[in-house]
Structures are given as structure tokens and as C-alpha cells.
Amino acid sequence: MHERSRELFERSRRLIPGGVNSPVRAFGGVGGTPLFLREGRGARVVDEDGREYVDYVGSWGPLILGHSHPAVLDAVRETAARGLSFGAPTRLELEMAELLTSTLPSLEEVRLVSSGTEAVMSALRLARGHTGRAVIVKFEGCYHGHSDFLLVKAGSGALTFGNPTSAGVPPELTAHTLVLDYNDPQKVEDAFARFGPRIAAVVLEPVAGNMNFVRPSLEFLQVLRRSCTAHGALLVFDEVMTGFRVGPQGAQGLFGIRPDLTTLGKVIGGGLPVGAFGGRRDIMERLAPVGPVYQAGTLSGNPVAVSAGLATLKEVLKPGFFARLSARTDALVVGLRREAQAAGVPFSAASLGGMFGLFFRDAPPATFGEVMACDREAFARFFHAMLGGGVYLAPSAYEAGFVSAAHGEAELEATFATARAAFAGLRGA
Ligand code: HOZ
């Protein structure tokens, strides 16, 4: 069925480690051969075998308007025609800074980079430089890119520093990273009671999207805000995934929590590489060239990438955009729950804005442990049945899904029809 993809994958494996340029693309979590995609239009992608799919990956989040949106393509063409890169300030970077700071009240100043990994790495260096402290608190299951000190899992005790999760990361580099349980306010209070004067920052995905989809409790976020303020640590919201995705002001707007620093990526690049970090002016002014914390990038604020992001954000910030997107995403999860229930398959689903999670368990998980307890085998079978029926989900039980403004009635109906058969197949399995 996927002959051409299979052949391209075999050739790629000889030249590119694992045949892919980012591990999650390799279908390792579900088995089989990754699709090689050649085209995307609206809510649909086409693979190298010419088969079309309703796409719920959206390039892992950036494509909130769908593929090949005309306003984004026009902006890219127009900017590219004037030059691809200057390594000097451009008006577009200022426009992006104005748009980001006027939309997100917690951003008094912002700096552009080229990826989410860079944004978080830089924000946390800044947090350490500002506070003069070393310890970073993160949460198991939250992913903040592949910086050495963030590739870490919890140590063996309740409040021990983390161990590297990747070869090539010396333990010394994760020795200042404390890993706690998501949605557990007591652990946060215990950590501050014990290590408060050493903690530079607490970083989290304010809605987790890299351990499937996990909503935070309001109490958890409030305890984080209170503890950071009380102990002089910085609260860093990693909104690379949730920024302009769960609402116009990201998760911070939805939950009414003001972080000290915020990281952004994905949607703000509209499909091209843009990241950003920003926040309180007194902190941001510690960055070089005004302050002593070094951070730089040849392609930071690249004009073509920024123009794609600006064109995307202009659409996203139009009145009614998020009401429509949320309603569409909600209709998707309600419909999938209905199909699962009809087939008698234990299943739940949840969403926020244009982001959703599917879980092979009775209720949406609130903790990393509950995510891990979902039926991974059932997900893998469901994934392949959906793919066979023309629906492209993220190839892992631990990833969130994304709906775009281009997903309409037709896409949802096609998804439900495919899911009906997929759930029925699971019941028989
Ligand atoms: N957040 C995505 C993975 N969990 C990014 C995609 C990638 O790593 O390639």
C-alpha cells in the first residue's frame, strides 16, 4: 500500500540515521514504515504513493491554518523576493515583537530565535544569569527540546536530581535539574522547602503536549506561581506548543497565570523555523548586548520565516478564530468518544483550543503515571487502522494532536467513518 514510501525509507536509512531527521517521525512507537509526504493542502496531506490523508499532525503544531494557506505563501514569496537573510535587523522582526508583546501581557520584551529548543535553552540560561542560581525544576513527561540539561528523568528518590535520558549527556550536566511529578502541588512545595534558595526557575508546559495531552489543575499552576514568587525563582511557561494554539494568549491567558518568562515556537513561524522567548523587562535586559547573558544566532529572526509567522498570526488573531477552532476540535473529540462507546472500546479524549489527546483508558490522564498506563498496543492498532482509512494521526501514543482552521465538516465526517471501523476492529482484537 505504501510501496514508494517504503522504498524511499530503505534508501534514507542508508544515509540518514534511522531514515529520519527527527526520531518521532520513524513510527517507532507504532511500528511500520513512515509515510513520505510530498504535498499538503488545507487539512490534507498527500504521500509519495499519491494517497491522501486527513492530517491531524500539522507538522507537529505549527500549521494552525492548514497546509499551504494562501496568505502565508504570498507573504513568503513576497519577502523571499527581496532577499533571504541579512544578519542585520529588519522591520519584520520589530513587527513580530510588537505583535507578540501587545498580545501577551507577560511579554514586555522578546527575542527571536530559530527553534523551540533554542528558545527554552536560552530562557533558562537567562533565568540562571538573572537569579545567580543553578537549579532548574522541570516535570516528568514535559519535553522542552533536546538541550543537554533538559534530557533528564527523575532520580530514584522523591526529591533527587535527575539522570540523563540520552547517551552523550554527562551526569554533571543534569545535576542541577530537579524532576517532579506534573500536577502534584505538594511535591512543588516540598522542593521549594528543601532547595528554595538554589532554584533559578521552574519550567513547564502549561498544558502538556509531549506526554499525549494533559491539562494542568489550576491549583498546580497557582502553587507554582506562589512558590516561585515567594522564593525569588522565575516561572517559565514553555508555550512552544500551546502559544497561539489553545487560545490567543496561550495557556497563560486561559488560566490567568502570569509567568516571568515565556517560550514560543511552532505557530509563530507558520511552518518555518521561528522560536522566541520573552517576559519581564528587568530580566530580558540581562541579555547581551545590554547585559551579561550571552545568546545569539545567525538566522535568528530570519525575514522569510518571520513573514510566514506574521501572516499566520494575523489570521489567528481575527475575531472568532479560536471560538471556531475550539468548536471544531471539540466536535472531533466528542465524535470519536461516541464511536468508541458504540464499539464498546475503553477510550477517552479531551481538547483545548486546537489541540487534543486520545487515550485508550476510561478517563483523560492527569499525571505522567496515568499517561503511561494507557493501552499503547490498542493505540498502535487504532493508528494503523486510521492510516489505512486515510487519517494521519501522530505516530505515537504520547503525542498531542492538532486541528487546523482548514478542518471542516467533510474532514470530521471522514474521520468518524474511519474511526467507526477502527474501533470495531479493536473490539474484535
Ligand atoms: N514536540 C514534538 C515531539 N514531541 C516535536 C517533533 C519532533 O521532535 O520532531
Side-chain angles (χ1 to χ4, degrees), residues 339-354:
E339 300 300 340
Q341 197 178 11
V345 172
F347 175 84
S348 55
S351 70
L352 213 45

Side-chain angles (χ1 to χ4, degrees), residues 65-263:
L65 303 179
H67 294 267
S68 311
H69 189 280
V72 179
L73 294 187
D74 283 349
V76 165
R77 277 191 210 102
E78 218 173 277
T79 307
R82 290 198 301 269
L84 295 179
S85 180
F86 304 107
T90 62
R91 184 176 45 76
L92 290 166
E93 292 160 79
L94 170 62
E95 265 180 50
M96 178 63 94
E98 284 170 344
L99 197 149
L100 295 177
T101 54
S102 62
T103 309
L104 290 167
S106 74
L107 257 62
E108 292 169 358
E109 292 191 22
V110 65
R111 176 159 284 176
L112 299 185
V113 292
S114 299
S115 70
T117 291
E118 254 188 284
V120 182
M121 179 189 78
S122 307
L124 294 180
R125 180 184 303 145
L126 178 60
R128 284 170 159 166
H130 177 75
T131 58
R133 303 173 180 181
V135 173
I136 301 295
V137 175
K138 81 175 283 292
F139 296 92
E140 186 110 79
C142 283
Y143 174 72
H144 303 289
H146 60 95
S147 306
D148 285 343
F149 70 106
L150 294 170
L151 290 179
V152 55
K153 65 175 178 329
S156 50
L159 278 182
T160 50
F161 287 83
N163 301 315
T165 52
S166 167
V169 178
E172 294 84 344
L173 295 187
T174 59
H176 299 293
T177 312
L178 187 59
V179 185
L180 304 181
D181 291 328
Y182 197 80
N183 267 337
D184 188 340
Q186 188 58 53
K187 290 264 169 52
V188 172
E189 285 175 344
D190 294 348
F192 271 102
R194 183 138 164 226
F195 302 111
R198 292 168 57 194
I199 298 175
V202 177
V203 61
L204 79 158
E205 291 179 83
V207 176
N210 287 284
M211 52 167 159
N212 204 323
F213 168 89
V214 178
R215 286 179 72 125
S217 74
L218 191 55
E219 187 202 355
F220 176 59
L221 296 181
Q222 286 169 341
V223 165
L224 287 176
R225 181 61 281 175
R226 247 196 334 267
S227 304
C228 285
T229 304
H231 292 269
L234 303 185
L235 181 58
V236 183
F237 271 17
D238 178 352
E239 299 231 41
V240 167
M241 197 179 273
T242 52
F244 300 97
R245 169 55 72 180
V246 297
Q249 295 178 333
Q252 53 196 270
L254 278 186
F255 295 106
I257 303 282
R258 190 181 172 108
D260 300 299
L261 292 174
T262 298
T263 60

